[in-house]
Amino acid sequence: MDFNQIFRDRTKNFSISIIKLLSPLPYSDALSIIRKQIIRSATSVAANYRAVSRARSDKERFAKICIVVEEIDETQLWLEIIEDLKYVDSEKLLAIKSECEELVKVMTTYKFKLSQNI
């Protein structure tokens, strides 16, 4: 399996994990807004990473990876907020936060490497 396929799967699975984590939570105005934002940013990571792997040029690939980095960073922020507000038990967030941190590191490194080719 190649790098692109591994991270297409990882970003998709990351999105699914967040949706599964947040779906059973009770409704409230504040939580509803946060839930919508984190699901939007996490699924955007997966969708835009798919676009990275299908890019037609280095410039297009770089533009898409910039979006991926921005969205994964935003997702990381929402995870921190959910944890700080105690909407989800910290233990349940450990694996997702760890995966998010790894994705931030990998995507930021990939962005840097792509920037060297432009």
Side-chain angles (χ1 to χ4, degrees), residues 1-44:
M1 192 178 286
D2 67 15
F3 177 86
N4 280 326
Q5 188 60 49
I6 290 168
F7 282 93
R8 283 172 59 128
D9 293 344
R10 279 182 72 174
T11 56
K12 182 177 82 172
N13 291 334
F14 177 71
S15 298
I16 291 168
S17 296
I18 286 180
I19 293 167
K20 285 181 176 180
L21 175 74
L22 299 178
S23 292
L25 297 179
Y27 176 84
S28 76
D29 287 339
L31 181 56
S32 182
I33 292 166
I34 293 169
R35 180 182 0 233
K36 181 178 176 181
Q37 286 297 113
I38 192 170
I39 289 172
R40 185 207 51 79
S41 64
T43 55
S44 179

Side-chain angles (χ1 to χ4, degrees), residues 36-102:
K36 181 178 176 181
Q37 286 297 113
I38 192 170
I39 289 172
R40 185 207 51 79
S41 64
T43 55
S44 179
V45 170
N48 280 290
Y49 188 79
R50 287 176 73 97
V52 167
S53 64
R54 302 253 188 252
R56 295 169 294 217
S57 69
D58 287 342
K59 287 183 179 181
E60 184 179 355
R61 184 171 290 109
F62 181 73
K64 290 296 181 180
I65 199 67
C66 287
I67 296 168
V68 170
V69 169
E70 182 180 334
E71 295 293 337
I72 195 68
D73 183 62
E74 181 180 334
T75 303
Q76 191 173 39
L77 169 69
W78 289 118
L79 287 170
E80 292 168 5
I81 290 171
I82 285 172
E83 183 175 37
D84 290 351
L85 291 172
K86 299 186 184 348
Y87 283 141
V88 177
D89 182 59
S90 293
E91 291 294 317
K92 290 182 180 179
L93 285 173
L94 276 177
I96 289 177
K97 283 179 57 184
S98 177
E99 177 67 355
C100 189
E101 181 63 32
E102 285 184 35

